[in-house]
Structure formats: C-alpha cells, structure tokens
Amino acid sequence: MKRDGFSSRFGILAAAAGSAIGLGNIWRFPYITGENGGAAFILVYLVCIFLIGIPVMLSELVIGRNAQSNAISSFDKIKPNSPWKFTGVLGVLTAFIILSFYSTIAGWVFAYIGRAVTGQLSSISPAELPQYFGNIINAGGSNLEPILWQFVVMVITGFIVIAGIKKGVEKYSKLLMPILLGLLVVLAIRSLTLEGAYKGVEFLFKPDFSSLSVEGVLEALGHAFFSLSLGMCTILTYGSYVNKKERLPSLALQITFADTAIALLAGIVIFPAVFAYGLSPDSGPDLIFITLPTVFYSMPFGSFFQMLFLVLIGIASITSTISLLEVPVSYFTEEFKLSRKKVTILITSIIFLLGIPSTLSFGSLGDVTIFGKTFFDLMDFTASNILLPVGGLLISLFIGWGWGIRNAVKEATNDGNIEFKLASAYGFATKYLAPIGIFVILLYSTGVI
Ligand code: TRP
C-alpha cells in the first residue's frame, strides 16, 4: 500500500504550523512569560528558538523525509541496528505524556466554549470568576465534567487521526489555521486600542533582566521545544509525509516564524488588555481562564470577543493534539501492521486514562504531590523541561555525529538540487551549538552543576 502523505506545500505548512501553534502559544507562553517577568524571558526564548529551535526543526524534517518512516523506524532505516532508535522510543513515550496532560487544558477550553456559546460565561462577574472556574476544573467528587471534556478532546482528535494525513490532518489544518490567524489579528487590534494598553506592550518588549532566574532559562528552552513541537519526533513524523521535491530549509524557517509570530501575537492580545484593566500578569495557568474573562467582561462587545478567543484556542489545540497522537499511531500502525483505526482507538483510550490523574490533580488529587509537584505539574515539567530537550539533544547528536552533516545537507538540498546558503551554519549549530547549549542549560538548571 502506498504511504499516505501531504498533497501541497500549503498543506504541509498548515499542518506543521498547526502542530506547533497551540496551547503552547496561547495558554503556556503568556502565562510563563507573565511569571518570569516579561521581555527578558522573551528575549532568552527567542535566542533558544533561533540558535537551537531552527536547527533541530530542520534536522527532524530531514530525518523524516529521508527515511519516509515513523519516529522509531526512521532511525533504524538510516542507521540499522544502532542505539539511535532510542531517540524515537523516547519520542513515542513523550507523546503519551504530553497528550495526557495537554488534553486536560484543552478540555477546560471546550468546557468554556460551551458556556460562552450559551451566554452563561458573560453573565459571571469578575468577582465570581475564580470560584466559577474553580468549580469547572475541580474534578473528582461528584464533578466529573472536566474528565468528560477531556474525553471529548480525545475523541475529536482520534476521529481526525483515523481519517489519515490528506483527508484528516491536512484538510482540517488548511481550514482551521487561516481562521485562527484572522481571529487573533482582530483581537490584537481590540486589545491594543484599549486605554492604557501601552503598559502591556512595555511588559512584552522592554527587558528587565533582574526578573529572570536560572530556572527561567530552562523554562525558556523547554518552552522553545514545546512550542515548536520539537524533541519528540512530531515534526520528524510530519516530515516523513513530505515529498522529495519540497524545500526543507525554507519550510523549517516558515514553521518557526509562524509559531513565534503567533506566540507574540497572543502576548499582544493578552498583556495590553491585562494591564489596561489593572490586573496582574503573573496569575499562572488560569491567566486565560480568569484574568481574560475579567478583561472581556468590562470590554465593549466583550462576550463576542470572549467567544472568538475561546473558539480560536479550541482550534489551535486540536491541530496540535492530532500531531501528538500521530507519532504513536504511525509507529504502531506501521510496525505491527495493524489497522489505523484499531491502533488509534487503542492509543486514544490509553492516553485518556493516563490523563485522568492530571485532570484530577486540580481537584480531588490536589494534595497528592510527587517531588513537591502535583501530578499535572510533574508530567508537564518532566516532559517539557527534561524529555523534550533531551530528545532535541539526541536528534542533534544523531545528525551531527551519527549520520553526519554531509548526509543531512544532501537531504536538505534535495541531493544538491537546491541552494542552502546557511548549510555550514546549520552544521555548526547541529554539531556544537545545540548539543552543548542544551546540555549546559539542563545541568545548570537542574542543579547538577
Ligand atoms: N506545539 C504545540 C503547542 O504549542 C504542542 C505540541 C504538539 C507539542 N506536538 C508537540 C509539544 C510535540 C511538544 C512536542 O501547543
């Protein structure tokens, strides 16, 4: 059977950017930026994106397209029977973890969409919001609602993945991503034209390094991987569906640019509004669930903009969850010659079950901590700040030292048929800069050195 694949350049870009752009940009980036003091954190984040993110992005695309296979077998095809395939094993494992807690937050978004559409959300006053939100997410006891929404997210994701690459992933990404961009631009204009908005712009763009900690640097690195969907072979898997004529270096740049632009745009939507209404930027994960509705509450046409914003986050999260699910689905389908449908249903169920403790950690399991972290925080920290950077480290080492820059550049230039001016910079970044950078940040911030 012919392997499924993308049908157009725009389709590839929409799907890959759709993977990258998600809760990471609209929920995680604003709140960790808020917690880490704003512009200085963003600057470190951009450095990580530029020096480490772009090379790793290209590396994943190159490996996937060369091998035309899934996360694990790709390494095996390029270097048979070598330990490098452990990188793919780690990737598949990380996909289970990330999707399990990602669906918790995506579930909250869908819970809010339901309430925004029925007009219920706009009738809640700012003073009542924390309690209102608390009730929604307080899983456990008699309130099973968040688990139900998590289930809904997994079912939608599963359906699209079963449909395959062309008829599922590509089709929905092409439709959803342009809508997302349009909505964000409308919201950014609204936010920037509020009185007092400039304080938020300052928070985003005027760095104050005294507010940045060592952990902040690890967060920035981890988030660069998280936001670009790097380090667990998602982009590698999508790369395996790209045809041999496509230009990979420019694709890597475009995906990275789109992701970064959307994160900054989300910041421009959120912070000017937060400051204009005298709220605090560092409220944490509930920033978009409590702080923002407060903003919308007192804004002209607020309930309309609130609904737009939620729908947009819902869209962005689904184009990301499908890319996370695709990693294990493609592996198990191809390796065990099982039907895509069976594999998807099985894996979706396992991830749903794995995700329940994360959802419950905001309710009945709230007091249970491991290494001082709730179950949700532990999953997020382990996957985002440790496993993804380690994955990125291994991918860089594989290209730089295992397979060799020469082979990688050959694939990146379609066998020398297209120009790649930055090939030597890519080689240097992949051999030295990225591995050493990741290694040092990992050791330093985890307290080893
Ligand atoms: N990048 C997505 C976001 O920002 C989430 C995501 C999708 C992801 N696939 C991934 C994160 C792979 C890490 C690895 O929301």
Side-chain angles (χ1 to χ4, degrees):
M1 199 175 78
K2 193 173 171 301
R3 210 163 171 266
D4 200 358
F6 292 114
S7 67
S8 70
R9 169 82 179 199
F10 179 65
I12 300 165
L13 187 61
S19 164
I21 298 165
L23 292 172
N25 306 59
I26 303 167
W27 164 75
R28 206 169 184 275
F29 174 74
Y31 98 71
I32 62 177
T33 298
E35 284 180 342
N36 286 289
F41 174 83
I42 295 183
L43 213 63
V44 177
Y45 171 71
L46 291 178
V47 170
C48 292
I49 292 273
F50 199 75
L51 296 182
I52 299 174
I54 296 176
V56 175
M57 172 81 67
L58 181 57
S59 297
E60 287 205 22
L61 287 171
V62 160
I63 297 169
R65 197 198 37 194
N66 184 273
Q68 302 277 304
S69 191
N70 58 69
I72 298 177
S73 316
S74 284
F75 291 94
D76 232 8
K77 281 205 169 149
I78 296 176
K79 283 255 160 194
N81 302 319
S82 71
W84 289 111
K85 77 166 172 229
F86 173 72
T87 311
V89 176
L90 195 71
V92 171
L93 196 86
T94 309
F96 278 84
I97 302 181
I98 294 187
L99 191 48
S100 78
F101 73 80
Y102 200 91
S103 55
T104 298
I105 311 295
W108 297 354
V109 173
F110 280 80
Y112 256 46
I113 292 179
R115 288 170 168 80
V117 171
T118 55
Q120 207 198 96
L121 190 57
S122 53
S123 66
I124 307 296
S125 76
E128 297 164 319
L129 264 170
Q131 170 113 46
Y132 184 74
F133 177 63
N135 283 341
I136 294 177
I137 70 167
N138 244 322
S142 55
N143 182 14
L144 296 179
E145 196 191 328
I147 296 176
L148 197 76
W149 286 111
Q150 181 170 33
F151 183 71
V152 169
V153 168
M154 292 308 299
V155 169
I156 299 175
T157 306
F159 264 107
I160 299 181
V161 168
I162 288 174
I165 296 301
K166 265 194 214 64
K167 297 205 186 93
V169 175
E170 176 170 353
K171 182 172 145 203
Y172 288 96
S173 302
K174 278 205 292 209
L175 176 76
L176 298 176
M177 294 315 288
I179 300 179
L180 175 103
L181 182 64
L183 290 182
L184 263 183
V185 170
V186 172
L187 287 170
I189 294 171
R190 173 65 271 194
S191 185
L192 284 173
T193 49
L194 289 169
E195 203 175 322
Y198 73 93
K199 278 204 219 110
V201 178
E202 230 175 54
F203 180 77
L204 275 172
F205 297 109
K206 206 167 142 204
D208 165 17
F209 283 96
S210 64
S211 55
L212 190 70
S213 63
V214 187
E215 292 79 34
V217 177
L218 178 68
E219 286 243 20
L221 176 75
H223 189 68
F225 278 101
F226 187 91
S227 188
L228 292 172
S229 301
L230 295 176
M232 52 149 273
C233 305
T234 307
I235 298 294
L236 184 156
T237 305
Y238 273 15
S240 76
Y241 301 121
V242 171
N243 77 46
K244 291 282 182 189
K245 290 199 204 74
E246 235 27 272
R247 292 164 183 263
L248 298 184
S250 62
L251 185 62
L253 281 181
Q254 284 164 359
I255 301 167
T256 309
F257 176 80
D259 185 70
T260 309
I262 296 280
L264 292 175
L265 202 56
I268 292 173
V269 169
I270 292 170
F271 291 110
V274 166
F275 280 89
Y277 285 96
L279 298 166
S280 147
D282 58 359
S283 74
D286 50 20
L287 184 66
I288 63 167
F289 295 101
I290 295 178
T291 310
L292 268 187
T294 304
V295 170
F296 288 123
Y297 186 81
S298 24
M299 191 189 261
F301 303 107
S303 54
F304 173 70
F305 284 112
Q306 169 75 80
M307 201 174 73
L308 271 191
F309 192 73
L310 287 169
V311 169
L312 175 160
I313 307 173
I315 292 173
S317 57
I318 293 298
T319 50
S320 298
T321 53
I322 55 182
S323 76
L324 284 159
L325 187 57
E326 181 64 27
V327 173
V329 165
S330 64
Y331 170 68
F332 287 105
T333 311
E334 291 176 0
E335 275 340 275
F336 300 96
K337 307 269 181 287
L338 293 166
S339 87
R340 193 171 168 88
K341 191 166 162 187
K342 274 204 200 105
V343 170
T344 307
I345 293 174
L346 185 70
I347 294 180
T348 306
S349 313
I350 295 174
I351 294 178
F352 167 64
L353 293 177
L354 190 66
I356 292 177
S358 285
T359 303
L360 292 181
S361 72
F362 292 93
S364 53
L365 294 183
D367 296 332
V368 181
T369 56
I370 309 161
F371 303 121
K373 290 184 166 27
T374 65
F375 199 76
F376 179 94
D377 287 338
L378 185 71
M379 296 294 243
D380 185 6
F381 181 85
T382 311
S384 313
N385 292 356
I386 310 289
L387 297 178
L388 293 180
V390 168
L393 178 69
L394 292 176
I395 288 165
S396 302
L397 291 177
F398 174 71
I399 293 272
W401 303 91
W403 190 29
I405 296 291
R406 193 190 291 256
N407 291 320
V409 168
K410 189 162 178 270
E411 180 65 38
T413 56
N414 305 352
D415 285 336
N417 284 319
I418 58 167
E419 207 181 12
F420 179 23
K421 287 207 194 77
L422 292 173
S424 53
Y426 168 65
F428 178 74
T430 308
K431 256 180 126 151
Y432 306 105
L433 207 60
I436 295 172
I438 296 169
F439 197 64
V440 169
I441 296 177
L442 269 177
L443 290 188
Y444 202 65
S445 56
T446 49
V448 178
I449 52 173

